[in-house]
Amino acid sequence: MPSKFVDRRVLVTGGAGFIGSHLCERLLEQGAEVLCLDNLFTGRKANIAHLLGNPAFEFLRHDVTIPINAEVDEVFNLACPASPVHYQFDPVQTTKTSVMGAINVLGLAKRLRIPVLQASTSEVYGDPQVHPQTEAYWGNVNPIGPRSCYDEGKRCAETLFFDYHRQHSLAIKVVRIFNTYGPRMHPNDGRVVSNFVVQALRNQPITIFGDGSQTRSFCYVDDLVEGLLGMMRTPAEITGPINLGNPSEFTVAQLANLVIEITNSKSTIDFRPLPQDDPRQRKPDISLAKHHLGWGPTINLRQGLKRTVSYFERLLSLGRSENGIAERDIPAKYPARLVS
């Protein structure tokens, strides 16, 4: 069966980011023309440098909070800083990116009458009181806390998507992404995997916030991208939201010890106070993804960590951060935290 994306012109907002750049690659492999839109706040041109010579790939530096004028066949909306280090640096802009960005991509999709996919997040569940988290769960979110700009911004974006669907019969897809990791993660973005790997490779103490008993479920980026593509392939009546993540659950302490083992590191564990509103547990119920997409993760944590460690080893051997990013580019006032 031919790919759904052959001869399709696809807009990927946030396309120069960690997940977005991998999605652009897979779309090109499946025969699509790709318009990659990114303002390069957290995305980096180095993530897509190897794609720039491809005649089917185009990069547009643009902020999604500004209306978009493009002629495309479908849209993947991934634009938004996704780690506390980045989204708390300018929380007002983070909310604008989620809300105004959603309005702008929905407006584009409405004008062109094309399908649009929203990359939402497990953060919409907040610090969940239901475990594992199903799409029917409404969440336990603090609307005025330091994480609210991201959590509530994404929740509002979902609201907008479903209102456009009901009011304008727009073809929408909404996925909720759980912790994802892999090559091209920013080494200083505060996400738990990149933080642990970089600290272990440098033989520095591994920073765990809380006692390490809080749980996360880690999905390798290649698996996640296949889920995004699969969701866009579903019939129009499948709108979501649908969870995308790996239901294998690990404590943060287990992750730290596995990273130390894989890197053969001399790192010790440094326990620090848990940040406000940090979720105690995260595990997706992916029953809907299995049923509607035929999707499930194929890469286990050990396999994915080995690939991720190899990536960071190459970066550190060059004596620089990922994509040449200097320490001064990362806001120092925010500690590393755990985030989807």
Side-chain angles (χ1 to χ4, degrees):
M1 180 181 295
S3 166
K4 178 183 185 296
F5 302 100
V6 170
D7 297 327
R8 305 286 285 177
R9 182 165 169 78
V10 182
L11 170 63
V12 180
T13 71
F18 159 48
I19 295 174
S21 61
H22 286 276
L23 176 60
C24 288
E25 278 182 341
R26 289 291 291 123
L27 285 166
L28 290 168
E29 290 171 4
Q30 295 203 10
E33 293 185 15
V34 175
L35 174 59
C36 168
L37 181 149
D38 206 297
N39 69 354
L40 300 182
F41 173 59
T42 56
R44 289 295 180 266
K45 287 185 75 172
N47 284 344
I48 54 170
H50 60 298
L51 305 178
L52 294 174
N54 189 328
F57 181 80
E58 180 182 356
F59 172 68
L60 174 64
R61 184 164 185 172
H62 183 90
D63 194 306
V64 75
T65 62
I66 300 170
I68 304 162
N69 185 19
E71 300 299 323
V72 293
D73 298 306
E74 47 207 346
V75 182
F76 288 83
N77 184 35
L78 275 65
C80 190
S83 76
V85 168
H86 292 133
Y87 68 62
Q88 292 181 9
F89 177 66
D90 189 345
V92 172
Q93 185 63 25
T94 295
T95 302
K96 287 182 178 180
T97 299
S98 288
V99 177
M100 295 173 63
I103 290 171
N104 287 331
V105 298
L106 288 163
L108 175 68
K110 178 187 172 188
R111 176 176 70 83
L112 299 174
R113 304 310 301 175
I114 60 173
V116 53
L117 181 147
Q118 168 67 8
S120 190
T121 172
S122 62
E123 296 293 328
V124 301
Y125 298 121
D127 188 4
Q129 297 174 334
V130 171
H131 193 73
Q133 291 79 61
T134 69
E135 293 85 350
Y137 178 51
W138 290 356
N140 177 39
V141 177
N142 178 357
I144 59 171
R147 302 170 67 103
S148 304
C149 58
Y150 184 68
D151 302 2
E152 295 287 34
K154 288 289 192 176
R155 286 162 68 93
C156 184
E158 288 195 16
T159 299
L160 286 163
F161 266 69
F162 280 91
D163 284 340
Y164 266 76
H165 175 65
R166 286 184 287 261
Q167 187 171 339
H168 301 296
S169 300
L170 194 64
I172 66 163
K173 309 286 182 183
V174 176
V175 297
R176 292 173 176 167
I177 298 173
F178 283 67
N179 293 64
T180 302
Y181 69 101
R184 299 187 201 140
M185 295 185 79
H186 196 298
N188 299 315
D189 69 1
R191 299 182 197 229
V192 63
V193 172
S194 54
N195 202 44
F196 286 4
V197 169
V198 170
Q199 289 175 332
L201 289 173
R202 290 173 171 167
N203 291 308
Q204 297 172 341
I206 289 183
T207 306
I208 291 181
F209 292 90
D211 62 6
S213 64
Q214 65 269 44
T215 66
R216 297 292 185 270
S217 302
F218 302 101
C219 185
Y220 190 69
V221 65
D222 289 358
D223 283 333
L224 187 279
V225 167
E226 291 306 312
L228 295 175
L229 296 174
M231 183 63 174
M232 189 62 96
R233 293 188 192 103
T234 55
E237 62 269 20
I238 307 302
T239 60
I242 287 182
N243 290 336
L244 293 180
N246 192 323
S248 297
E249 190 175 12
F250 296 86
T251 68
V252 172
Q254 286 176 319
L255 174 68
N257 288 321
L258 183 55
V259 168
I260 290 173
E261 176 192 334
I262 291 173
T263 57
N264 195 29
S265 176
K266 299 178 182 177
S267 294
T268 57
I269 305 294
D270 179 18
F271 292 95
R272 298 187 184 180
L274 193 67
Q276 180 181 342
D277 300 329
D278 197 77
R280 293 163 296 176
Q281 52 188 7
R282 277 284 164 75
K283 177 181 178 178
D285 182 314
I286 61 170
S287 300
L288 289 182
K290 288 180 178 179
H291 178 69
H292 293 300
L293 281 60
W295 179 88
T298 62
I299 301 169
N300 66 39
L301 183 58
R302 181 178 291 273
Q303 292 170 322
L305 281 178
K306 287 181 177 179
R307 300 180 190 182
T308 307
V309 166
S310 295
Y311 172 74
F312 281 115
E313 282 178 333
R314 291 194 299 273
L315 292 176
L316 297 180
S317 70
L318 296 175
R320 59 179 174 85
S321 294
E322 180 188 17
N323 303 338
I325 302 167
E327 296 294 331
R328 59 180 168 78
D329 294 326
I330 310 302
K333 62 186 286 190
Y334 300 109
R337 298 180 182 179
L338 307 178
V339 59
S340 293

mmCIF file of all heavy atoms in Angstrom, residues 264-304:
data_model
loop_
_atom_site.group_PDB
_atom_site.id
_atom_site.type_symbol
_atom_site.label_atom_id
_atom_site.label_comp_id
_atom_site.label_asym_id
_atom_site.label_seq_id
_atom_site.Cartn_x
_atom_site.Cartn_y
_atom_site.Cartn_z
ATOM 1 N N ASN A 264 28.738 3.195 32.169
ATOM 2 C CA ASN A 264 29.877 2.788 33.013
ATOM 3 C C ASN A 264 30.432 3.992 33.768
ATOM 4 O O ASN A 264 31.648 4.200 33.865
ATOM 5 C CB ASN A 264 30.979 2.132 32.168
ATOM 6 C CG ASN A 264 32.000 1.386 33.018
ATOM 7 O OD1 ASN A 264 31.686 0.895 34.102
ATOM 8 N ND2 ASN A 264 33.231 1.303 32.532
ATOM 9 N N SER A 265 29.511 4.762 34.310
ATOM 10 C CA SER A 265 29.863 6.033 34.949
ATOM 11 C C SER A 265 30.257 5.844 36.412
ATOM 12 O O SER A 265 29.861 4.886 37.075
ATOM 13 C CB SER A 265 28.672 6.987 34.861
ATOM 14 O OG SER A 265 28.915 8.194 35.544
ATOM 15 N N LYS A 266 31.003 6.803 36.917
ATOM 16 C CA LYS A 266 31.359 6.854 38.324
ATOM 17 C C LYS A 266 30.447 7.798 39.110
ATOM 18 O O LYS A 266 30.728 8.121 40.273
ATOM 19 C CB LYS A 266 32.815 7.298 38.472
ATOM 20 C CG LYS A 266 33.823 6.350 37.817
ATOM 21 C CD LYS A 266 35.238 6.867 37.947
ATOM 22 C CE LYS A 266 36.235 5.929 37.244
ATOM 23 N NZ LYS A 266 37.631 6.469 37.302
ATOM 24 N N SER A 267 29.385 8.216 38.474
ATOM 25 C CA SER A 267 28.477 9.177 39.098
ATOM 26 C C SER A 267 27.815 8.616 40.350
ATOM 27 O O SER A 267 27.522 7.421 40.443
ATOM 28 C CB SER A 267 27.381 9.592 38.112
ATOM 29 O OG SER A 267 27.906 10.305 37.023
ATOM 30 N N THR A 268 27.581 9.490 41.300
ATOM 31 C CA THR A 268 26.771 9.184 42.477
ATOM 32 C C THR A 268 25.410 9.853 42.306
ATOM 33 O O THR A 268 25.172 10.563 41.327
ATOM 34 C CB THR A 268 27.451 9.693 43.748
ATOM 35 O OG1 THR A 268 27.679 11.110 43.616
ATOM 36 C CG2 THR A 268 28.790 8.993 43.962
ATOM 37 N N ILE A 269 24.495 9.634 43.254
ATOM 38 C CA ILE A 269 23.154 10.220 43.189
ATOM 39 C C ILE A 269 23.071 11.398 44.139
ATOM 40 O O ILE A 269 23.468 11.301 45.308
ATOM 41 C CB ILE A 269 22.070 9.186 43.546
ATOM 42 C CG1 ILE A 269 22.193 7.952 42.659
ATOM 43 C CG2 ILE A 269 20.686 9.808 43.416
ATOM 44 C CD1 ILE A 269 21.904 8.183 41.200
ATOM 45 N N ASP A 270 22.554 12.511 43.639
ATOM 46 C CA ASP A 270 22.369 13.719 44.439
ATOM 47 C C ASP A 270 20.868 13.998 44.531
ATOM 48 O O ASP A 270 20.241 14.375 43.542
ATOM 49 C CB ASP A 270 23.098 14.893 43.778
ATOM 50 C CG ASP A 270 22.930 16.196 44.543
ATOM 51 O OD1 ASP A 270 22.558 16.145 45.735
ATOM 52 O OD2 ASP A 270 23.165 17.274 43.947
ATOM 53 N N PHE A 271 20.287 13.777 45.726
ATOM 54 C CA PHE A 271 18.854 13.984 45.908
ATOM 55 C C PHE A 271 18.583 15.436 46.308
ATOM 56 O O PHE A 271 19.259 15.993 47.174
ATOM 57 C CB PHE A 271 18.308 13.049 46.992
ATOM 58 C CG PHE A 271 18.320 11.601 46.593
ATOM 59 C CD1 PHE A 271 19.380 10.777 46.957
ATOM 60 C CD2 PHE A 271 17.282 11.060 45.845
ATOM 61 C CE1 PHE A 271 19.393 9.441 46.596
ATOM 62 C CE2 PHE A 271 17.286 9.731 45.475
ATOM 63 C CZ PHE A 271 18.346 8.912 45.844
ATOM 64 N N ARG A 272 17.568 16.034 45.657
ATOM 65 C CA ARG A 272 17.191 17.424 45.930
ATOM 66 C C ARG A 272 15.676 17.521 46.093
ATOM 67 O O ARG A 272 14.945 16.613 45.709
ATOM 68 C CB ARG A 272 17.665 18.339 44.798
ATOM 69 C CG ARG A 272 19.183 18.350 44.633
ATOM 70 C CD ARG A 272 19.625 19.373 43.636
ATOM 71 N NE ARG A 272 21.064 19.326 43.389
ATOM 72 C CZ ARG A 272 21.699 20.117 42.549
ATOM 73 N NH1 ARG A 272 21.028 21.037 41.866
ATOM 74 N NH2 ARG A 272 23.008 19.990 42.366
ATOM 75 N N PRO A 273 15.192 18.636 46.652
ATOM 76 C CA PRO A 273 13.739 18.762 46.872
ATOM 77 C C PRO A 273 12.961 18.692 45.560
ATOM 78 O O PRO A 273 13.407 19.179 44.526
ATOM 79 C CB PRO A 273 13.604 20.147 47.527
ATOM 80 C CG PRO A 273 14.948 20.409 48.131
ATOM 81 C CD PRO A 273 15.945 19.763 47.225
ATOM 82 N N LEU A 274 11.773 18.108 45.624
ATOM 83 C CA LEU A 274 10.917 17.966 44.454
ATOM 84 C C LEU A 274 10.296 19.317 44.110
ATOM 85 O O LEU A 274 9.776 20.010 44.978
ATOM 86 C CB LEU A 274 9.812 16.946 44.743
ATOM 87 C CG LEU A 274 9.001 16.425 43.566
ATOM 88 C CD1 LEU A 274 9.877 15.586 42.654
ATOM 89 C CD2 LEU A 274 7.815 15.603 44.068
ATOM 90 N N PRO A 275 10.345 19.735 42.840
ATOM 91 C CA PRO A 275 9.744 21.020 42.450
ATOM 92 C C PRO A 275 8.226 21.014 42.617
ATOM 93 O O PRO A 275 7.588 19.955 42.640
ATOM 94 C CB PRO A 275 10.123 21.144 40.962
ATOM 95 C CG PRO A 275 11.263 20.211 40.761
ATOM 96 C CD PRO A 275 11.053 19.091 41.729
ATOM 97 N N GLN A 276 7.668 22.194 42.707
ATOM 98 C CA GLN A 276 6.225 22.345 42.861
ATOM 99 C C GLN A 276 5.490 21.735 41.677
ATOM 100 O O GLN A 276 5.868 21.933 40.523
ATOM 101 C CB GLN A 276 5.855 23.826 42.982
ATOM 102 C CG GLN A 276 4.354 24.076 43.156
ATOM 103 C CD GLN A 276 4.020 25.550 43.250
ATOM 104 O OE1 GLN A 276 4.885 26.381 43.518
ATOM 105 N NE2 GLN A 276 2.759 25.883 43.020
ATOM 106 N N ASP A 277 4.431 20.995 41.963
ATOM 107 C CA ASP A 277 3.518 20.420 40.971
ATOM 108 C C ASP A 277 4.153 19.337 40.104
ATOM 109 O O ASP A 277 3.601 18.952 39.077
ATOM 110 C CB ASP A 277 2.925 21.511 40.058
ATOM 111 C CG ASP A 277 2.141 22.554 40.828
ATOM 112 O OD1 ASP A 277 1.553 22.194 41.868
ATOM 113 O OD2 ASP A 277 2.121 23.718 40.406
ATOM 114 N N ASP A 278 5.326 18.839 40.491
ATOM 115 C CA ASP A 278 5.944 17.775 39.712
ATOM 116 C C ASP A 278 5.129 16.493 39.891
ATOM 117 O O ASP A 278 4.864 16.075 41.020
ATOM 118 C CB ASP A 278 7.379 17.553 40.177
ATOM 119 C CG ASP A 278 8.198 16.777 39.163
ATOM 120 O OD1 ASP A 278 8.596 17.391 38.167
ATOM 121 O OD2 ASP A 278 8.418 15.572 39.370
ATOM 122 N N PRO A 279 4.704 15.842 38.798
ATOM 123 C CA PRO A 279 3.841 14.653 38.927
ATOM 124 C C PRO A 279 4.538 13.501 39.640
ATOM 125 O O PRO A 279 5.723 13.251 39.429
ATOM 126 C CB PRO A 279 3.540 14.287 37.471
ATOM 127 C CG PRO A 279 3.825 15.519 36.682
ATOM 128 C CD PRO A 279 4.927 16.211 37.401
ATOM 129 N N ARG A 280 3.791 12.773 40.456
ATOM 130 C CA ARG A 280 4.348 11.634 41.185
ATOM 131 C C ARG A 280 4.405 10.384 40.329
ATOM 132 O O ARG A 280 5.223 9.499 40.572
ATOM 133 C CB ARG A 280 3.502 11.365 42.431
ATOM 134 C CG ARG A 280 3.568 12.457 43.490
ATOM 135 C CD ARG A 280 2.422 12.324 44.467
ATOM 136 N NE ARG A 280 1.134 12.532 43.779
ATOM 137 C CZ ARG A 280 -0.048 12.402 44.369
ATOM 138 N NH1 ARG A 280 -0.118 12.037 45.638
ATOM 139 N NH2 ARG A 280 -1.169 12.611 43.703
ATOM 140 N N GLN A 281 3.515 10.285 39.340
ATOM 141 C CA GLN A 281 3.498 9.086 38.509
ATOM 142 C C GLN A 281 2.964 9.414 37.127
ATOM 143 O O GLN A 281 2.117 10.287 36.963
ATOM 144 C CB GLN A 281 2.650 7.985 39.156
ATOM 145 C CG GLN A 281 1.249 8.421 39.546
ATOM 146 C CD GLN A 281 0.511 7.362 40.346
ATOM 147 O OE1 GLN A 281 1.066 6.352 40.733
ATOM 148 N NE2 GLN A 281 -0.773 7.589 40.580
ATOM 149 N N ARG A 282 3.495 8.713 36.156
ATOM 150 C CA ARG A 282 3.048 8.873 34.776
ATOM 151 C C ARG A 282 3.111 7.523 34.087
ATOM 152 O O ARG A 282 4.160 6.881 34.051
ATOM 153 C CB ARG A 282 3.944 9.862 34.025
ATOM 154 C CG ARG A 282 3.604 11.314 34.238
ATOM 155 C CD ARG A 282 2.357 11.723 33.440
ATOM 156 N NE ARG A 282 1.816 12.974 33.925
ATOM 157 C CZ ARG A 282 2.361 14.158 33.683
ATOM 158 N NH1 ARG A 282 3.465 14.239 32.999
ATOM 159 N NH2 ARG A 282 1.779 15.242 34.122
ATOM 160 N N LYS A 283 1.988 7.105 33.544
ATOM 161 C CA LYS A 283 1.946 5.881 32.755
ATOM 162 C C LYS A 283 0.743 5.966 31.827
ATOM 163 O O LYS A 283 -0.392 6.064 32.293
ATOM 164 C CB LYS A 283 1.832 4.648 33.655
ATOM 165 C CG LYS A 283 1.717 3.337 32.880
ATOM 166 C CD LYS A 283 1.577 2.138 33.816
ATOM 167 C CE LYS A 283 1.406 0.846 33.031
ATOM 168 N NZ LYS A 283 1.305 -0.338 33.907
ATOM 169 N N PRO A 284 0.967 5.918 30.527
ATOM 170 C CA PRO A 284 -0.165 6.029 29.613
ATOM 171 C C PRO A 284 -0.917 4.713 29.450
ATOM 172 O O PRO A 284 -0.315 3.637 29.395
ATOM 173 C CB PRO A 284 0.496 6.417 28.290
ATOM 174 C CG PRO A 284 1.844 5.761 28.354
ATOM 175 C CD PRO A 284 2.254 5.842 29.803
ATOM 176 N N ASP A 285 -2.217 4.811 29.365
ATOM 177 C CA ASP A 285 -3.022 3.711 28.855
ATOM 178 C C ASP A 285 -3.076 3.919 27.343
ATOM 179 O O ASP A 285 -3.589 4.939 26.868
ATOM 180 C CB ASP A 285 -4.423 3.770 29.465
ATOM 181 C CG ASP A 285 -5.314 2.613 29.017
ATOM 182 O OD1 ASP A 285 -5.336 2.326 27.806
ATOM 183 O OD2 ASP A 285 -5.980 2.023 29.863
ATOM 184 N N ILE A 286 -2.529 2.988 26.577
ATOM 185 C CA ILE A 286 -2.465 3.169 25.116
ATOM 186 C C ILE A 286 -3.450 2.250 24.389
ATOM 187 O O ILE A 286 -3.246 1.928 23.204
ATOM 188 C CB ILE A 286 -1.032 2.979 24.578
ATOM 189 C CG1 ILE A 286 -0.508 1.570 24.859
ATOM 190 C CG2 ILE A 286 -0.099 4.040 25.164
ATOM 191 C CD1 ILE A 286 0.797 1.269 24.123
ATOM 192 N N SER A 287 -4.508 1.867 25.063
ATOM 193 C CA SER A 287 -5.501 0.989 24.440
ATOM 194 C C SER A 287 -6.080 1.598 23.168
ATOM 195 O O SER A 287 -6.282 0.903 22.157
ATOM 196 C CB SER A 287 -6.634 0.687 25.422
ATOM 197 O OG SER A 287 -6.151 0.046 26.584
ATOM 198 N N LEU A 288 -6.372 2.908 23.186
ATOM 199 C CA LEU A 288 -6.938 3.542 21.996
ATOM 200 C C LEU A 288 -5.936 3.575 20.852
ATOM 201 O O LEU A 288 -6.306 3.385 19.687
ATOM 202 C CB LEU A 288 -7.402 4.966 22.323
ATOM 203 C CG LEU A 288 -8.646 5.100 23.203
ATOM 204 C CD1 LEU A 288 -9.001 6.573 23.405
ATOM 205 C CD2 LEU A 288 -9.830 4.352 22.595
ATOM 206 N N ALA A 289 -4.666 3.830 21.165
ATOM 207 C CA ALA A 289 -3.645 3.835 20.126
ATOM 208 C C ALA A 289 -3.502 2.459 19.492
ATOM 209 O O ALA A 289 -3.343 2.318 18.270
ATOM 210 C CB ALA A 289 -2.308 4.302 20.698
ATOM 211 N N LYS A 290 -3.563 1.425 20.307
ATOM 212 C CA LYS A 290 -3.481 0.062 19.778
ATOM 213 C C LYS A 290 -4.681 -0.242 18.884
ATOM 214 O O LYS A 290 -4.544 -0.842 17.814
ATOM 215 C CB LYS A 290 -3.418 -0.941 20.933
ATOM 216 C CG LYS A 290 -2.105 -0.945 21.693
ATOM 217 C CD LYS A 290 -2.151 -1.969 22.822
ATOM 218 C CE LYS A 290 -0.827 -2.028 23.561
ATOM 219 N NZ LYS A 290 -0.866 -3.005 24.695
ATOM 220 N N HIS A 291 -5.862 0.184 19.323
ATOM 221 C CA HIS A 291 -7.090 -0.143 18.602
ATOM 222 C C HIS A 291 -7.211 0.638 17.294
ATOM 223 O O HIS A 291 -7.489 0.057 16.231
ATOM 224 C CB HIS A 291 -8.303 0.140 19.480
ATOM 225 C CG HIS A 291 -9.615 -0.112 18.810
ATOM 226 N ND1 HIS A 291 -10.059 -1.374 18.488
ATOM 227 C CD2 HIS A 291 -10.572 0.757 18.369
ATOM 228 C CE1 HIS A 291 -11.236 -1.290 17.888
ATOM 229 N NE2 HIS A 291 -11.571 -0.006 17.805
ATOM 230 N N HIS A 292 -7.015 1.946 17.349
ATOM 231 C CA HIS A 292 -7.257 2.793 16.176
ATOM 232 C C HIS A 292 -6.044 2.916 15.254
ATOM 233 O O HIS A 292 -6.199 3.097 14.047
ATOM 234 C CB HIS A 292 -7.690 4.192 16.614
ATOM 235 C CG HIS A 292 -9.024 4.236 17.279
ATOM 236 N ND1 HIS A 292 -10.187 3.833 16.656
ATOM 237 C CD2 HIS A 292 -9.380 4.634 18.536
ATOM 238 C CE1 HIS A 292 -11.209 3.983 17.481
ATOM 239 N NE2 HIS A 292 -10.756 4.471 18.622
ATOM 240 N N LEU A 293 -4.843 2.846 15.807
ATOM 241 C CA LEU A 293 -3.632 3.061 15.024
ATOM 242 C C LEU A 293 -2.873 1.761 14.763
ATOM 243 O O LEU A 293 -1.974 1.730 13.910
ATOM 244 C CB LEU A 293 -2.682 4.034 15.739
ATOM 245 C CG LEU A 293 -2.955 5.534 15.682
ATOM 246 C CD1 LEU A 293 -4.312 5.886 16.285
ATOM 247 C CD2 LEU A 293 -1.864 6.303 16.419
ATOM 248 N N GLY A 294 -3.208 0.717 15.518
ATOM 249 C CA GLY A 294 -2.384 -0.484 15.472
ATOM 250 C C GLY A 294 -0.978 -0.190 15.942
ATOM 251 O O GLY A 294 -0.004 -0.799 15.498
ATOM 252 N N TRP A 295 -0.871 0.731 16.900
ATOM 253 C CA TRP A 295 0.438 1.254 17.317
ATOM 254 C C TRP A 295 0.802 0.798 18.722
ATOM 255 O O TRP A 295 -0.052 0.713 19.616
ATOM 256 C CB TRP A 295 0.427 2.780 17.280
ATOM 257 C CG TRP A 295 1.715 3.412 17.719
ATOM 258 C CD1 TRP A 295 2.798 3.698 16.936
ATOM 259 C CD2 TRP A 295 2.064 3.838 19.050
ATOM 260 N NE1 TRP A 295 3.800 4.274 17.694
ATOM 261 C CE2 TRP A 295 3.378 4.366 18.987
ATOM 262 C CE3 TRP A 295 1.398 3.804 20.282
ATOM 263 C CZ2 TRP A 295 4.032 4.869 20.120
ATOM 264 C CZ3 TRP A 295 2.052 4.304 21.402
ATOM 265 C CH2 TRP A 295 3.348 4.830 21.315
ATOM 266 N N GLY A 296 2.069 0.557 18.908
ATOM 267 C CA GLY A 296 2.644 0.310 20.220
ATOM 268 C C GLY A 296 4.143 0.462 20.119
ATOM 269 O O GLY A 296 4.728 0.286 19.039
ATOM 270 N N PRO A 297 4.819 0.823 21.211
ATOM 271 C CA PRO A 297 6.272 0.994 21.165
ATOM 272 C C PRO A 297 6.988 -0.320 20.898
ATOM 273 O O PRO A 297 6.541 -1.386 21.335
ATOM 274 C CB PRO A 297 6.608 1.556 22.545
ATOM 275 C CG PRO A 297 5.468 1.135 23.420
ATOM 276 C CD PRO A 297 4.259 1.088 22.553
ATOM 277 N N THR A 298 8.101 -0.242 20.172
ATOM 278 C CA THR A 298 8.890 -1.429 19.824
ATOM 279 C C THR A 298 10.297 -1.405 20.401
ATOM 280 O O THR A 298 10.990 -2.416 20.384
ATOM 281 C CB THR A 298 8.990 -1.573 18.294
ATOM 282 O OG1 THR A 298 9.680 -0.425 17.762
ATOM 283 C CG2 THR A 298 7.613 -1.666 17.656
ATOM 284 N N ILE A 299 10.730 -0.245 20.888
ATOM 285 C CA ILE A 299 12.100 -0.071 21.375
ATOM 286 C C ILE A 299 12.060 0.057 22.889
ATOM 287 O O ILE A 299 11.451 0.995 23.424
ATOM 288 C CB ILE A 299 12.760 1.162 20.736
ATOM 289 C CG1 ILE A 299 12.789 1.002 19.211
ATOM 290 C CG2 ILE A 299 14.176 1.389 21.275
ATOM 291 C CD1 ILE A 299 13.167 2.260 18.468
ATOM 292 N N ASN A 300 12.704 -0.876 23.601
ATOM 293 C CA ASN A 300 12.656 -0.816 25.061
ATOM 294 C C ASN A 300 13.642 0.215 25.597
ATOM 295 O O ASN A 300 14.474 0.766 24.848
ATOM 296 C CB ASN A 300 12.875 -2.201 25.680
ATOM 297 C CG ASN A 300 14.269 -2.755 25.435
ATOM 298 O OD1 ASN A 300 15.268 -2.037 25.474
ATOM 299 N ND2 ASN A 300 14.351 -4.071 25.205
ATOM 300 N N LEU A 301 13.554 0.462 26.880
ATOM 301 C CA LEU A 301 14.329 1.551 27.477
ATOM 302 C C LEU A 301 15.825 1.320 27.350
ATOM 303 O O LEU A 301 16.579 2.250 27.025
ATOM 304 C CB LEU A 301 13.941 1.723 28.948
ATOM 305 C CG LEU A 301 14.622 2.878 29.686
ATOM 306 C CD1 LEU A 301 14.354 4.215 29.013
ATOM 307 C CD2 LEU A 301 14.182 2.918 31.147
ATOM 308 N N ARG A 302 16.296 0.113 27.571
ATOM 309 C CA ARG A 302 17.724 -0.150 27.468
ATOM 310 C C ARG A 302 18.224 0.104 26.038
ATOM 311 O O ARG A 302 19.264 0.736 25.839
ATOM 312 C CB ARG A 302 18.043 -1.583 27.903
ATOM 313 C CG ARG A 302 19.527 -1.944 27.841
ATOM 314 C CD ARG A 302 19.768 -3.362 28.325
ATOM 315 N NE ARG A 302 19.538 -3.482 29.763
ATOM 316 C CZ ARG A 302 20.480 -3.237 30.681
ATOM 317 N NH1 ARG A 302 21.702 -2.864 30.305
ATOM 318 N NH2 ARG A 302 20.189 -3.362 31.953
ATOM 319 N N GLN A 303 17.487 -0.367 25.042
ATOM 320 C CA GLN A 303 17.877 -0.150 23.652
ATOM 321 C C GLN A 303 17.912 1.339 23.321
ATOM 322 O O GLN A 303 18.865 1.839 22.717
ATOM 323 C CB GLN A 303 16.888 -0.853 22.717
ATOM 324 C CG GLN A 303 16.919 -2.364 22.768
ATOM 325 C CD GLN A 303 15.760 -2.970 21.995
ATOM 326 O OE1 GLN A 303 14.629 -2.443 22.005
ATOM 327 N NE2 GLN A 303 16.005 -4.079 21.319
ATOM 328 N N GLY A 304 16.848 2.030 23.705
ATOM 329 C CA GLY A 304 16.766 3.452 23.397
ATOM 330 C C GLY A 304 17.821 4.269 24.107
ATOM 331 O O GLY A 304 18.390 5.211 23.532
#
